[in-house]
Amino acid sequence: MLELLKSKILVSDGAIGTELLKLSSEKNPEILNLKKPSLVEKLHIDYINAGADIITTNSFGANPVRIKDINIYELAKASAQIARKAKIDNKFIFGSVGPTGLKPTDKEFKNIDAYFSEQICGLNDGGVDAILIETMIFVEEMKAAYRVARTETKLPIAVSMSFHLTKNGFQTYGGADLKTSVKEMLNLGAEIIGANCGNGFAEMTTLAEKLKSIISETFIIIKPSAGTPKRINDKLIYPDTPNSISKFVEKLISLGVNIIGGCCGTTPEHIKVIRKLVDKTIQSEKAWAQ
């Protein structure tokens, strides 16, 4: 995969959690790995059919803080096995590792390595191709997840934090500024770094420009949310529709982002748009080379 990234933009899938929540009353969509694995598998297949090169396991919140009284190792392993069942040749599976919800100042934070170990070992044993540490807002938690992933596996690791634009520039909701966060991610030695979620494609494109001004060699992953949703008629409506994202995706491509996908609120229809634009760029480059 890493060799492929040197010459090709890879398209990741879109949201897992928000899509599964549309289809089920489960509070924690990760539980569906055990209760309705066919539902999870179908979503992976939908993303593959939309053109995704990378599918992400349904394991974002699979940790003992978010989900009680469940064997987290088995839950995470099941997420990887479901993804492998859906996978076809030339696709990659990223094992999703999200934040626990703990703050570094919390007393329970001392157990963070053990919590991540259950999840990451399950993903590794289930057969993922890489570990994706995503939506992190605390540098300390991001570093802990990376430390465990590097210790417990030999897999490539992608690290992605979540930022929003403030009067002081881009910061995580935990208060870490962009430059500090990127420096910490680079110092870890992760093969892929970047950002996900945030407040939509427009803001994430601006963030990607900032990232490119800091990062010169490491592969970059960008997975924007579909914006900040509004509740209308008891449904969450996201403003960034598939029809509205093209110019932002084109900008991400021109910036040289290596992996482009979607986060909360994005759907297979969003991924179809990204796939089409990435393929258009590839065809243009081939025509130019001839």
Side-chain angles (χ1 to χ4, degrees):
M1 179 192 65
L2 296 177
E3 281 298 313
L4 190 60
L5 283 172
K6 293 178 181 179
S7 59
K8 184 178 180 180
I9 298 171
L10 294 184
V11 176
S12 183
D13 55 7
I16 299 297
T18 56
E19 284 297 282
L20 290 174
L21 288 172
K22 292 178 186 178
L23 305 171
S24 169
S25 60
E26 282 292 339
K27 179 182 177 182
N28 300 109
E30 296 83 4
I31 298 295
L32 296 172
N33 296 331
L34 304 178
K35 290 188 175 181
K36 294 185 179 179
S38 61
L39 201 64
V40 181
E41 183 184 357
K42 183 182 182 304
L43 180 59
H44 290 321
I45 292 171
D46 287 346
Y47 277 125
I48 289 171
N49 290 338
D53 300 303
I54 296 167
I55 54 176
T56 311
T57 57
N58 179 36
S59 57
F60 178 83
N63 63 69
V65 181
R66 292 182 181 271
I67 303 177
K68 309 291 186 183
D69 303 319
I70 289 285
N71 185 314
I72 296 299
Y73 169 86
E74 293 297 341
L75 186 64
K77 184 178 180 181
S79 75
Q81 291 172 329
I82 293 166
R84 288 204 66 81
K85 188 176 178 182
K87 175 184 171 180
I88 59 176
D89 291 342
N90 302 319
K91 305 293 180 181
F92 303 98
I93 301 171
F94 277 22
S96 173
V97 178
T100 59
L102 294 174
K103 298 177 181 179
T105 53
D106 291 339
K107 185 177 180 181
E108 195 179 355
F109 195 81
K110 67 180 184 295
N111 300 323
I112 200 78
D113 282 30
Y115 292 163
F116 281 132
S117 182
E118 290 183 60
Q119 182 183 25
I120 290 170
C121 286
L123 292 169
N124 182 62
D125 292 351
V128 300
D129 299 305
I131 299 295
L132 172 61
I133 298 164
E134 60 177 334
T135 328
M136 291 289 163
I137 64 171
F138 295 112
V139 168
E140 296 92 335
E141 185 171 30
M142 177 269 291
K143 291 169 71 173
Y146 180 88
R147 180 171 61 244
V148 172
R150 191 57 87 200
T151 300
E152 300 287 4
T153 82
K154 296 181 179 179
L155 299 171
I157 302 172
V159 179
S160 179
M161 299 190 75
S162 181
F163 301 90
H164 66 123
L165 188 58
T166 74
K167 63 181 181 180
N168 297 315
F170 283 103
Q171 294 183 342
T172 71
Y173 285 98
D177 66 85
L178 180 63
K179 285 189 176 180
T180 300
S181 300
V182 172
K183 181 181 178 182
E184 293 287 356
M185 286 190 279
L186 289 171
N187 286 343
L188 290 175
E191 288 83 355
I192 303 164
I193 68 172
N196 72 292
C197 212
N199 291 323
F201 278 75
E203 189 171 296
M204 191 68 89
T205 300
T206 303
L207 173 62
E209 289 184 275
K210 300 286 187 184
L211 279 174
K212 286 297 292 186
S213 70
I214 302 170
I215 301 167
S216 58
E217 295 182 2
T218 308
F219 298 124
I220 295 178
I221 182 170
I222 297 289
K223 297 181 68 175
S225 72
T228 303
K230 293 182 179 179
R231 187 169 289 278
I232 301 174
N233 296 328
D234 206 34
K235 289 185 179 181
L236 287 178
I237 305 300
Y238 288 83
D240 290 5
T241 65
N243 292 332
S244 70
I245 66 172
S246 291
K247 64 180 180 180
F248 304 113
V249 176
E250 288 171 347
K251 182 64 175 179
L252 293 174
I253 292 170
S254 69
L255 286 169
V257 173
N258 306 98
I259 300 174
I260 305 172
C263 201
C264 301
T266 58
T267 69
E269 294 304 312
H270 289 81
I271 301 310
K272 285 180 183 178
V273 173
I274 297 172
R275 176 81 269 164
K276 182 178 178 180
L277 293 171
V278 168
D279 287 347
K280 180 180 176 181
T281 301
I282 293 170
Q283 292 302 320
S284 296
E285 289 174 350
K286 285 183 179 179
W288 179 259
Q290 291 173 354

